[in-house]
Amino acid sequence: MHAMNDLSIHPQDGKQDEAVAQPALSRSMVRRAIFASVLGNGLEWFDFLIYGYFSKIIAQVFFPGDNAFVSIALTLATFAIGFFVRPLGGILLGLYADRVGRRRALSLLIVSMAASTLLMGLTPSYATIGIAAPLLVVLARLLQGLSVGGQFATASAMLVEYAPPGKKMFYGSFNMSSQAFALLLSSGVGWLLTTQLSHAQLVSWGWRLPFLMGSLAGPMGFYIRHRVAESPEFEALRGHDGDAAPRQSLREFFRANSDAVICAMGVIIVGAATNYVWHSYLSLYVERQLHLPLSSALLGAFVSGALNLFLFPVSGKLADRYGPYRCFYPVVIAWVICAYPLFHFVITQPTPLHLFIAQMIATVFLAAMSGAHPGMLATLFPVRNRSTGVALSYNIAVTLFGGLAPLTITWLTHLSGSSLTPAFYLIFAGLLSLAMVFFTKSGREPGVSSASADVC
């Protein structure tokens, strides 16, 4: 966003980012890079989302106990563990991607995620191996968190750096479409299993099938490593004489990019909260609070994923045309206003139809808010530390307001007894996002960015 500031602080970086001729790429290579980034990212998010859908069953298998609330809380705490390590994974893998390239980083991330998901699917139950079972689950979640910590940032950087001028938000939106693909696939598989298998079959072996499916993402990592070219902007930064880009310390990074980090976190918070409340937490909410079958939530999530495959690119195109921040403010304000009435509509008459209608409305808002997120975050940072900047800001925001959302809302609902707790959570997240973006220079003056100039 504030590339003029970056040019003044790192004049050589700016020259490299703007002046060095980028290598010509064929259309087939561009399509291959987009396809690999989107499919690889989608399969990673499938692995991550499926844990939330089967959290109640995982609680029975790995965290048995007499108190159902404690059992669920332990399962959701394990879900949150994957998010706690995401900032660390984001920093380490972001630095790696900014040093050796987006392609090699994406390859490593996908293979690591596939291995951790396979571990999750093959771990015996608590009844079989005792305390070792939940410990292995925690280990799998830690590995998943480290892997996914760098995924969004590296895939976003790859897509935006392949984008021609004026289409960075649109190209970046494919990263969000990959998450919609993951939602579509994970909810579809979850709905199929919950409707076709008995509860005993789900607990015994059915829940493991999605994790074993997710581990098949591993070969995609090798495909990216050997069949996809490095992004042209990173190649321009690296130059033709060296194998790695110039090093930069975290202190130098924060000195140059602290304003952009705050703005990027603000951009992400409301979308992360909305995504995890309406998708990951909803599967638990409809059973415990609304007393509706899990299949009702999964059907709505499946349709939401299908819609967002197309709505996210539309949102990216609109951001390219009108400017991402001109779209961001009115959409978030409208969502803050609508969040409470939407939950009230479902709670007063908790029927599958009302739930489905509310999910569709939330889907449209989520797409409008989040379609341009990858492009917005990527253009906030210069090429030399783009993956680090996006990974750090994105993962901190998602950890605090996405990964902790199910556990936080479950705890607050347990204390207050109010079924409207998720609505108040979303309102708070929206107001915080607006404040963090507005009170940063990057959010108030997006027009000063050369990256933004390319977009609009």
Side-chain angles (χ1 to χ4, degrees), residues 83-107:
F83 285 84
F84 279 124
V85 298
R86 279 178 62 169
L88 175 61
I91 292 173
L92 295 177
L93 294 166
L95 289 170
Y96 180 75
D98 285 333
R99 178 66 177 161
V100 304
R102 322 307 188 200
R103 179 186 62 179
R104 289 170 63 179
L106 275 176
S107 175

Side-chain angles (χ1 to χ4, degrees), residues 19 25 43 66 72 86 102 113 117 130 182 185 258 260 280 337 345 367 396 442-443:
L25 294 171
L43 290 173
D66 297 330
I72 285 291
R86 279 178 62 169
R102 322 307 188 200
M113 178 60 100
T117 302
L185 186 61
S258 57
S280 292
I337 295 171
F345 168 74
I396 292 176
S442 300

Side-chain angles (χ1 to χ4, degrees), residues 429-451:
L431 293 174
L432 182 61
S433 276
L434 290 169
M436 290 180 70
V437 175
F438 181 77
F439 289 109
T440 56
K441 185 176 181 181
S442 300
R444 288 197 314 273
E445 303 176 18
V448 303
S449 167
S450 62

Side-chain angles (χ1 to χ4, degrees), residues 282-294:
L282 193 66
S283 59
L284 183 64
Y285 183 79
V286 298
E287 288 189 295
R288 293 178 62 86
Q289 298 295 327
L290 304 182
H291 306 292
L292 295 174
L294 175 61

Side-chain angles (χ1 to χ4, degrees), residues 293-430:
L294 175 61
S295 58
S296 297
L298 292 176
L299 177 62
F302 178 83
V303 178
S304 296
L307 286 174
N308 277 337
L309 280 173
F310 306 98
L311 291 178
F312 281 135
V314 170
S315 177
K317 270 188 170 294
L318 291 173
D320 278 327
R321 181 168 183 176
Y322 298 106
Y325 291 87
R326 290 178 182 175
C327 299
F328 173 82
Y329 288 111
V331 170
V332 174
I333 291 171
W335 180 232
V336 168
I337 295 171
C338 292
Y340 181 90
L342 197 61
F343 268 96
H344 189 268
F345 168 74
V346 177
I347 289 171
T348 52
Q349 290 183 300
T351 66
L353 178 60
H354 281 199
L355 176 64
F356 182 82
I357 293 172
Q359 284 178 284
M360 295 306 100
I361 295 173
T363 293
V364 174
F365 271 105
L366 181 62
M369 286 187 293
S370 304
H373 279 176
M376 291 172 76
L377 267 63
T379 54
L380 276 166
F381 303 95
V383 175
R384 72 172 295 181
N385 46 41
R386 179 166 287 158
S387 288
T388 305
V390 176
L392 181 68
S393 51
Y394 175 80
N395 284 300
I396 292 176
V398 172
T399 296
L400 295 178
F401 291 90
L404 287 177
L407 182 61
T408 302
I409 295 173
T410 299
W411 177 65
L412 291 175
T413 302
H414 182 71
L415 290 179
S416 65
S418 172
S419 297
L420 288 167
T421 301
F424 295 117
Y425 185 85
L426 291 176
I427 291 170
F428 173 75

Side-chain angles (χ1 to χ4, degrees), residues 7 12 31 33 35 59 66 78 82 87 121 128 156 177 192 230-231 264-265 296 299 375 403 416 455:
L7 290 175
Q12 292 182 348
R31 287 195 298 267
F35 172 78
D66 297 330
T78 305
T128 303
S156 295
S177 291
L192 187 65
E230 184 54 76
S231 84
M265 289 176 60
S296 297
L299 177 62
S416 65
V455 172

